[in-house]
Amino acid sequence: MRTLISTAFISLDGVVEAPGGEPGYRNSGWTFKDIEFLPEAFDIKGREQKEATAMLLGRTSYQSFSPVWPAMEEFADYKRMPKYVVSTTLTEADLVTNWGETAILRSLEEVAALKETDGGPIIVHGSARLNQALADAGLIDRYHLLVFPLLLGAGKRLFSTTDKDTQKLKLVEHDVYANGLQKNVFDVVR
């Protein structure tokens, strides 16, 4: 079974919306505002590209990333790996042609079937609503979280507010950086 890894830039109060400057959010670009850039804090992002063998995205994140990421050198490894977009509305005609192999999955059942295939880890970027649905369905195996020392208040959250049984996590890697960022890698305990 393949490992499904959710990776996120997240504020201390759980917001994941528009970390890179996506329009329409009051605090858009919060990862770059008033926080000193320390390359070592972002080492995990390069490691993710080397270790992942596929990428899973929701429709909204796909539509945000696909016009930009294919041309970005820092995301070159993602260009070569297969991508899967979970959407009930996208069509093949909506997919970009310069970002490698991309398939549309129509349900969480199709995501579960993908996890059963041969291959290495699948990384989930952005995709707040998809992350919540995947977690609620018990499909996420690991979280890679870069926690920023910010309280953003309103905004899309990584974790759902569904009333459900406790889900235990095991901290398997962590670090704290001089700029206040924290790296927390958690495995989901089954």
Side-chain angles (χ1 to χ4, degrees):
M1 177 179 269
R2 299 172 83 168
T3 302
L4 189 61
I5 301 169
S6 171
T7 183
F9 293 146
I10 186 167
S11 68
L12 192 58
D13 58 347
V15 175
V16 294
E17 187 168 355
E22 300 81 358
Y25 175 60
R26 176 183 182 185
N27 294 312
S28 184
W30 50 269
T31 58
F32 304 111
K33 294 178 181 173
D34 300 321
I35 296 178
E36 178 188 1
F37 178 77
L38 296 177
E40 61 271 21
F42 297 89
D43 283 348
I44 193 168
K45 303 321 269 173
R47 193 174 84 206
E48 287 170 350
Q49 286 189 68
K50 300 296 182 201
E51 294 174 359
T53 60
M55 186 188 306
L56 183 69
L57 298 163
R59 178 193 53 80
T60 302
S61 290
Y62 176 80
Q63 290 177 320
S64 293
F65 299 161
S66 64
V68 180
W69 281 21
M72 295 179 73
E73 182 150 334
E74 58 265 38
F75 298 127
D77 290 324
Y78 286 142
K79 189 171 184 174
R80 292 183 283 278
M81 72 178 59
K83 281 155 281 305
Y84 299 89
V85 183
V86 181
S87 174
T88 58
T89 58
L90 276 183
T91 66
E92 294 292 324
D94 296 320
L95 301 177
V96 298
T97 58
N98 64 336
W99 205 19
E101 175 189 344
T102 305
I104 300 170
L105 304 179
R106 298 292 181 196
S107 67
L108 293 180
E109 290 78 18
E110 288 186 35
V111 175
L114 174 64
K115 283 186 64 177
E116 296 293 330
T117 62
D118 290 334
I122 303 165
I123 195 94
V124 183
H125 279 283
S127 310
R129 227 177 348 196
L130 176 60
N131 264 291
Q132 292 174 3
L134 292 167
D136 288 348
L139 294 173
I140 294 178
D141 302 297
R142 176 173 276 193
Y143 290 95
H144 288 184
L145 305 177
L146 275 181
V147 183
F148 284 71
L150 302 168
L151 300 174
L152 297 173
K156 293 179 185 176
R157 308 248 184 240
L158 182 63
F159 302 106
S160 81
T161 57
T162 303
D163 187 13
K164 60 184 176 185
D165 291 337
T166 300
Q167 186 174 46
K168 292 189 176 202
L169 305 175
K170 179 182 178 185
L171 184 66
V172 295
E173 183 181 340
H174 63 90
D175 214 335
V176 179
Y177 304 97
N179 61 0
L181 266 69
Q182 299 174 32
K183 173 180 65 180
N184 293 305
V185 177
F186 293 100
D187 281 343
V188 176
V189 176
R190 304 240 190 261

